[in-house]
Amino acid sequence: MRFLRQSLFGVFLAAAALALLLFAAQMVMQAVQERMSRDNRPPQARERVFAVNLQRAELETVTPVLEAFGQIESRRTLELRAPSGGRVIELTPSFEEGGEVEAGEVLVRLDPADAQAALDRARADLQDAEVERRDAQRALELARAELLAGQDQADLRERALQRQRDLEQRGVGTAATVETAELAAAAARQAVLARRIAEAQAETRLDQAATRLSRARLALDEAQRDLDDMTISARFGGTLNGVSLVEGRLVSANEKLAELVDPADLEVAFRVSTAQYVRLLDADGRLISAPVTATLDVSGVDLRAEGTINRDSGTAGEGQSGRVIYARLGRAPGFKPGDFVTVTVREPALDAVIRLPASSLDASGTVLALSGDDRLESIPVTLVRRQGDEVLLRGDGLAGREIVTGRTPLLGPGIKVRPLRQEGQAQPEPDTIELSDERRARLVAFVEANDRMPQEAKQRVLSQLASPQVPARLVQRIESRMGG
């Protein structure tokens, strides 16, 4: 009985296991069929929503800024050349590269021995010419006196001849007496003619003496100029450049000794495109006197100089395009001729324009605006000007609309979006910051150790660093030069 009971229990367990296997197989089959039938059903469509940054379009008056690169030049540059050859016997102590000289200061003296000898000879020749002129003047006076005496004698002879003729007519005189009187009168007239010739010769001699005197004076002036040219002076105050002269050297005529540059009278020359040049013309086609700012980056500190446009180049230049514009600068401490600077020109103001980021404008000249149901709408606009990362636009119905500032290929008209307004935009960096004592001391030490910075600019930077609020841009530029 026990064996039978155990056998039946084993059969029961086997049947239960087989039933569980069949049930599991059925569940697996149902799951597979359900999954396969689910894949055949179409998916449920769901609209995608994009988050976009918006900026309100507002009309404003904007002054565009034109940026270019230019070079500082001096408006007064004088080449110092030797008018004549000679040996250098004296140089001013400031006659060196970068030396500063005053107006009228004697810079170079050449050996004046030959020029002085020529001047002395010219003075002697002038004295001889003056003596000759006085002698010719006296000779002319004597010749005129002799002519006057001869004329008086001729008049007496004529009156004597007339008396003899009267006596002959009354029968008192003889023909021989009359003939003798006629011969005497003829001789007197011949003497007068000779004295007139002598007077003409004396006048010619006087004229020649005057010409010789004029030539002697010209020679004296030329010799004096040659002697003065032995001394070279500064016509205006400035800085010497390109000095290549030492004391004792022999120089030839017209040899270049140095250049005198006026560092206080500077201008900047910069080239612009033809389109940019047209924007700087007035209604009459003349160049406007637009304000100009020249900026030079010196070890993290900007040297700035203000000026105005005063002229442009006469020609475009061979193989060049655009125009070269010259702007006269005002006070420009730290600038030197030859500096390569960044030039910004403030153009005439534009009214009723909208300023937006450049990323909001596409190639077809449209922007995306937000409609009432949070969908995008395309608005055509007119590009007025590009200003760095911004554009100046005009368009109908654009004012007051919220514009997408960052366009992507996924955005277009009719797309539903999630607006990100002011709370989602980055806050602008502060203009000034407050420095800790350690940070301030590190910046001051770096500026004081910079020998390439002009002294005036260094004092200005140190005064800014000493104030409680320091310009953030200044701190950023100095720290970028420090490597930290």
Side-chain angles (χ1 to χ4, degrees):
M1 287 297 293
R2 184 180 180 183
F3 173 77
L4 179 61
R5 186 174 61 251
Q6 291 179 349
S7 300
L8 291 175
F9 185 71
V11 172
F12 173 75
L13 292 177
L18 180 60
L20 291 174
L21 288 175
L22 292 176
F23 181 72
Q26 184 180 2
M27 291 182 64
V28 171
M29 290 295 295
Q30 290 178 356
V32 171
Q33 290 177 1
E34 183 180 357
R35 181 60 182 270
M36 293 179 64
S37 63
R38 186 187 306 169
D39 292 341
N40 291 333
R41 292 197 302 266
Q44 296 293 331
R46 187 176 62 180
E47 184 177 7
R48 188 175 180 183
V49 180
F50 297 91
V52 294
N53 292 320
L54 301 178
Q55 178 178 334
R56 185 172 297 276
E58 297 180 354
L59 294 176
E60 56 181 319
T61 300
V62 180
T63 301
V65 176
L66 185 153
E67 291 189 357
F69 296 99
Q71 189 172 12
I72 299 296
E73 299 177 357
S74 176
R75 300 185 72 252
R76 286 203 302 176
T77 301
L78 177 65
E79 285 189 352
L80 299 178
R81 293 183 177 271
S84 58
R87 184 181 300 276
V88 178
I89 61 173
E90 182 183 348
L91 288 177
T92 182
S94 57
F95 195 86
E96 56 188 0
E97 187 69 24
E100 296 184 358
V101 297
E102 300 294 336
E105 181 179 352
V106 176
L107 304 179
V108 182
R109 291 186 188 274
L110 303 180
D111 188 0
D114 295 340
Q116 185 64 49
L119 179 61
D120 295 339
R121 287 193 297 269
R123 287 174 177 170
D125 294 340
L126 179 61
Q127 292 176 356
D128 292 342
E130 291 176 347
V131 171
E132 175 64 22
R133 184 177 180 278
R134 290 194 297 269
D135 190 17
Q137 182 67 34
R138 289 192 294 267
L140 177 60
E141 293 175 356
L142 293 175
R144 288 174 177 174
E146 289 182 352
L147 176 60
L148 183 60
Q151 187 65 45
D152 293 340
Q153 186 176 6
D155 293 341
L156 292 175
R157 294 293 183 182
E158 287 294 334
R159 288 195 296 270
L161 175 61
Q162 188 63 32
R163 286 194 302 271
Q164 293 298 327
R165 287 177 178 173
D166 292 341
L167 292 175
E168 182 183 10
Q169 290 177 0
R170 291 197 300 266
V172 178
T174 61
T177 305
V178 173
E179 183 177 356
T180 302
E182 289 179 350
L183 290 176
R189 289 194 298 270
Q190 182 67 31
V192 169
L193 180 60
R195 285 176 173 81
R196 287 180 177 175
I197 294 175
E199 182 187 21
Q201 292 176 349
E203 290 178 349
T204 302
R205 181 185 175 187
L206 181 61
D207 293 339
Q208 292 176 347
T211 303
R212 182 180 175 184
L213 180 60
S214 299
R215 290 176 179 175
R217 288 173 177 171
L218 291 175
L220 179 62
D221 294 340
E222 183 178 359
Q224 184 65 52
R225 287 195 303 271
D226 292 341
L227 180 60
D228 295 338
D229 289 341
M230 296 294 103
T231 301
I232 302 175
S233 304
R235 294 180 56 183
F236 54 86
T239 304
L240 295 176
N241 180 41
V243 177
S244 61
L245 190 64
V246 293
E247 190 171 346
R249 175 182 166 186
L250 285 173
V251 297
S252 58
N254 202 36
E255 181 179 349
K256 183 178 178 180
L257 308 180
E259 285 185 352
L260 181 60
V261 179
D262 188 355
D265 193 2
L266 300 179
E267 65 181 5
V268 58
F270 56 97
R271 182 176 291 273
V272 298
S273 65
T274 305
Q276 293 172 333
Y277 174 76
V278 171
R279 297 202 296 262
L280 298 176
L281 300 179
D282 58 11
D284 297 330
R286 293 190 296 267
L287 193 65
I288 63 176
S289 300
V292 171
T293 301
T295 306
L296 175 63
D297 184 8
V298 181
S299 301
V301 180
D302 286 342
L303 294 179
R304 294 178 179 271
E306 303 290 337
T308 55
I309 293 177
N310 61 349
R311 70 185 192 281
D312 59 349
S313 59
T315 60
E318 185 177 357
Q320 301 289 336
S321 61
R323 302 290 186 271
V324 177
I325 297 178
Y326 298 89
R328 185 170 184 176
L329 300 179
R331 187 172 179 272
F335 285 85
K336 296 291 184 182
D339 285 339
F340 189 71
V341 297
T342 302
V343 182
T344 57
V345 182
R346 291 185 288 278
E347 302 178 16
L350 298 176
D351 298 327
V353 295
I354 296 174
R355 189 204 309 262
L356 291 174
S359 57
S360 61
L361 181 67
D362 66 354
S364 60
T366 61
V367 296
L368 294 177
L370 184 67
S371 61
D373 54 352
D374 288 343
R375 294 187 182 275
L376 297 180
E377 176 187 355
S378 179
I379 299 179
V381 295
T382 301
L383 176 62
V384 179
R385 194 72 50 83
R386 289 188 179 272
Q387 291 287 290
D389 295 333
E390 296 180 334
V391 289
L392 304 181
L393 306 175
R394 286 195 180 104
D396 296 335
L398 186 61
R401 301 292 299 274
E402 290 182 313
I403 308 300
V404 177
T405 58
R407 299 190 60 166
T408 66
L410 300 178
L411 300 179
I415 298 295
K416 189 174 182 60
V417 297
R418 179 166 56 88
L420 298 177
R421 294 181 175 85
Q422 183 66 28
E423 59 274 12
Q425 297 180 1
Q427 296 295 329
E429 296 183 359
D431 295 334
T432 59
I433 59 176
E434 185 175 354
L435 299 178
S436 62
D437 295 339
E438 181 182 357
R439 189 179 183 185
R440 191 189 306 272
R442 186 168 64 253
L443 295 176
V444 170
F446 176 77
V447 174
E448 290 179 345
N450 192 345
D451 297 333
R452 295 180 299 173
M453 185 183 302
Q455 190 64 28
E456 185 172 350
K458 183 181 295 185
Q459 294 298 329
R460 185 173 66 252
V461 173
L462 291 177
S463 63
Q464 292 178 343
L465 292 176
S467 60
Q469 296 292 330
V470 182
R473 184 181 179 187
L474 174 64
V475 175
Q476 181 180 3
R477 296 180 69 87
I478 296 178
E479 288 182 344
S480 65
R481 296 300 189 277
M482 295 171 60

